[in-house]
Amino acid sequence: MFPRTFYQKLIDSHTVAKLDEQNILLFCDLHLMNEYTSPQAFAGLYEEKRGVPMPGQNVAVVSHIIPTHPGKMRVIADPPSALQATYLKKNCDTFGIPLFDTNDALQGIEHVVAPEHGMIRPGMVVICGDSHTTTYGALGALGFGIGTTEVEHVLATQTLVYRVAKTMLIRVDGRLSEGVTAKDLVLAIIGHIGARGALGYVVEYSGSAIEALSIEARFTLCNMIVEAGARGALIAPDKKAIDYVMARAPDIAETWREAALDAWRDLRTDSGATFDAVHSFDAALIAPQVTWGTSPDQVVAIDASLPRIDDLEEGVVRASGVRAMAYTKLTQGEAIEGVPIQHVFIGSCTNGRIEDLRAAAAVIHGRHVAQGVRAMVVPGSGSVKAAAEAEGLDAAFIAAGFEWRNAGCSMCLAMNDDVLADGVRCASTTNRNFEGRQGRGAITHLMSPAMAAAAAVTGKITDVRRLEINHG
Amino acid sequence: MVDVRTIEGRAAPLPIENLDTDQIMPKQFLRGIDKSGLTQGLLHDLRFDREGNPERDFVLNRPEYENASILIGASNFGCGSSREHAVWGLLQYGFRAVIAPSFAEIFFSNAMNNRLLLVALPAEQIARLMEDANDPANNQVVIDVQAQTLRSQSVNATFDMHPRHRKMFLEGLDNIGLSLTYQDDIRSFANDHWRRQPWLKDVAALTRKRLDA
């Protein structure tokens, strides 16, 4: 047989019909929904009197609007947001769709909840009305975001009209240095290829540096590649990925183990298959990264300076750079290290997992949040929160002056009541530094959890490699 | 649905690279359960100052661009969040087309599904369209969807459009209705798919059941 990429295999095994030269009818194994991109889709179903033929392949999570204040009961104070949660429950009940509701103990961010309970399995096609669905590539599942019209289409047909993407290989060899994480790697990649560098492509990551990464680190890597425009990400499932899934999916482990292992063996790019584009990186050359602007590709190494205006491409690119510096109140050529911050946010579907919290906690042992800084930790899910508490991470954060919050998307999107005030500068482990993303006029610097923790205890953007780690 | 054969109107220039959907429709306008009421939210933080007064210099607030129905944007227009509210907002404000060098993928699907026409043209044609749009006396653009041509003061271009999308604009198309004609194929595909990989059937429902047990 003709050698195929992993992506082409996934597409071939999910094609219900070829519609024309570019488009196929793609079968979707799992469809995740949230409260703010699904209500209009359900309304469309009611209007056309259409049903949901395969409700068991769909699941909903209240994730973006949920309050994260400490305390047992979660009450959504904002009436329109509360109505979204009510509608989600009503719609799920109507069609028999499983739901993680507001006060579910396992509640959290959809992209953290789904894989941690074994719902994401190698070889799946997973979609969701949220752009960060690319996360699932870490387990060898093709995940991607869709809009509300498409949510309605999936509910009614369990398929999507899908334009087949081009393929890009991102190869990363070598070893990441001490203090450098998957977040730094993906920021460096986006900085190199640009915010539209992967537009039209599904990216496959490979190489020794990728193999060395934990599954949680791979989630970070796949989650953020959408910021380079990618339509999806994939990493061929290896033993680590398979062990991760088997530990969380007892049905496979107990009943179908051998058959599944057999099916998953082929989930990789054949030798001789070609990609439409290839990029290579040396992990050893990557330093901790920090964004300086308002697009994730406006990023520099911690020991570097902001670009000079004259070095930016003339025209719209330069104008956008100037605009970004005006927004972030930084100047050309300025060093990024040492910029004072007032807020720290550790969490999100990029970096709200247990390993991320451990990495941040390792930096704060024996230290305290700097004066004038407000620092928040928001676990990615109820399970992550419980795991962190079992390890005593909550006590460590609280002792160091952090707020230990309930799980949710929180200040990543700031659609709940966690919003930054105008002009506040935040060291953030999220995925987007867009203008106004964390609040109108708020300034976001993207970085890793360890770097965010370093910023919290020093009150300024700091190279975490300079801080001695006190093992507590 | 009304068919869309030609789009003709005043063009407004918006030369911001990587204009994300957070900016096109900020989060505070995503709290509804229907598609309505998004006009005020469109490009909110660019259109209004912190007190809620119109930013007088912003292109959409200038009288000469009142009723603009075509937006000339920069590359990677509509990147970021998948929120379809960005498209609904553009349409509710009165835009019928956006012309830019490139569009983000999810935004592209969202726009076409709602019949907001997106036209991708090479950067140098966009630069000339931007110049034309900067001159309010000469900023009319005519787009012929049927012929796939676009005309402004100094640009005469043809553009690519997938036949499927063209049909959606010219005839209106119920995508779901069309896909439902494959209902039997979908069902038999699924049965075969699950026979070979039983661990993919009802994953969500069975997981929920296990967690509740």
Side-chain angles (χ1 to χ4, degrees), chain B residues 8-16 19 42-43 57-74 77 90 93-100 126 129-136 138-141 152:
Chain B
E8 188 173 354
R10 209 177 269 280
L14 197 58
I16 302 176
L19 184 75
L42 182 75
L43 296 163
D57 293 340
F58 184 63
V59 59
L60 298 186
N61 294 331
R62 289 163 54 188
E64 60 270 35
Y65 291 101
E66 212 179 322
N67 304 322
S69 58
I70 294 166
L71 206 51
I72 316 289
F77 190 98
L90 283 162
Y93 189 87
F95 286 107
R96 292 289 165 264
V98 183
I99 310 168
I126 296 293
L129 279 168
M130 204 69 94
E131 267 176 48
D132 288 348
N134 278 327
D135 174 7
N138 287 311
N139 75 348
Q140 286 288 118
V141 173
S152 75

Side-chain angles (χ1 to χ4, degrees), chain A residues 192-237:
Chain A
H192 184 79
I193 69 175
R196 55 180 189 280
L199 202 57
Y201 291 90
V202 164
V203 167
E204 180 172 340
Y205 289 107
S206 76
S208 58
I210 306 298
E211 286 160 25
L213 292 176
S214 70
I215 297 304
E216 301 216 331
R218 294 178 195 179
F219 282 136
T220 304
L221 203 60
C222 292
N223 173 283
M224 268 200 81
I225 199 64
V226 71
E227 311 307 335
R231 193 74 173 107
L234 283 171
I235 297 174

Side-chain angles (χ1 to χ4, degrees), chain A residues 282-464:
Chain A
D282 181 352
L285 301 179
I286 291 165
Q289 306 281 310
V290 181
T291 61
W292 56 265
T294 55
S295 171
D297 61 349
Q298 291 171 327
V299 63
V300 287
I302 181 67
D303 46 10
S305 306
L306 266 68
R308 300 212 161 262
I309 302 294
D310 287 347
D311 296 340
L312 299 172
E313 191 187 318
E314 229 176 299
V316 176
V317 174
R318 186 176 297 177
S320 296
V322 171
R323 186 184 159 80
M325 283 182 207
Y327 183 87
T328 61
K329 301 187 171 75
L330 296 174
T331 50
Q332 58 169 331
E334 183 179 356
I336 195 74
E337 187 167 18
V339 172
I341 51 106
Q342 296 85 46
H343 201 105
V344 173
F345 174 72
I346 296 175
S348 86
C349 61
T350 317
N351 282 122
R353 299 185 169 81
I354 188 72
E355 281 186 18
D356 299 314
L357 305 193
R358 285 182 194 138
V363 175
I364 61 164
H365 278 301
R367 299 192 167 93
H368 199 275
V369 171
Q371 195 141 34
V373 174
R374 184 174 174 202
M376 239 183 216
V377 184
V378 181
S381 72
S383 310
V384 171
K385 182 166 186 270
E389 288 172 355
E391 293 176 23
L393 300 185
D394 59 328
F397 280 118
I398 292 165
F402 282 80
E403 293 174 34
W404 179 249
R405 316 272 294 196
N406 261 320
C409 291
S410 182
M411 205 168 268
C412 176
L413 178 61
M415 245 184 94
N416 67 351
D417 44 4
D418 302 337
V419 183
L420 290 180
D422 200 353
V424 169
R425 191 180 295 278
C426 183
S428 187
T429 67
T430 59
N431 36 41
R432 288 185 174 142
N433 52 347
F434 297 159
E435 278 185 32
R437 175 81 175 179
Q438 295 190 288
R440 183 170 183 159
I443 302 161
T444 302
H445 294 281
L446 304 178
M447 61 189 79
S448 75
M451 286 284 287
V457 296
T458 59
K460 57 192 182 198
I461 295 175
T462 297
D463 189 341
V464 67

Side-chain angles (χ1 to χ4, degrees), chain B residues 82-93:
Chain B
S82 64
R83 58 187 72 166
E84 202 162 299
H85 309 69
V87 169
W88 301 332
L90 283 162
L91 285 166
Q92 285 169 29
Y93 189 87

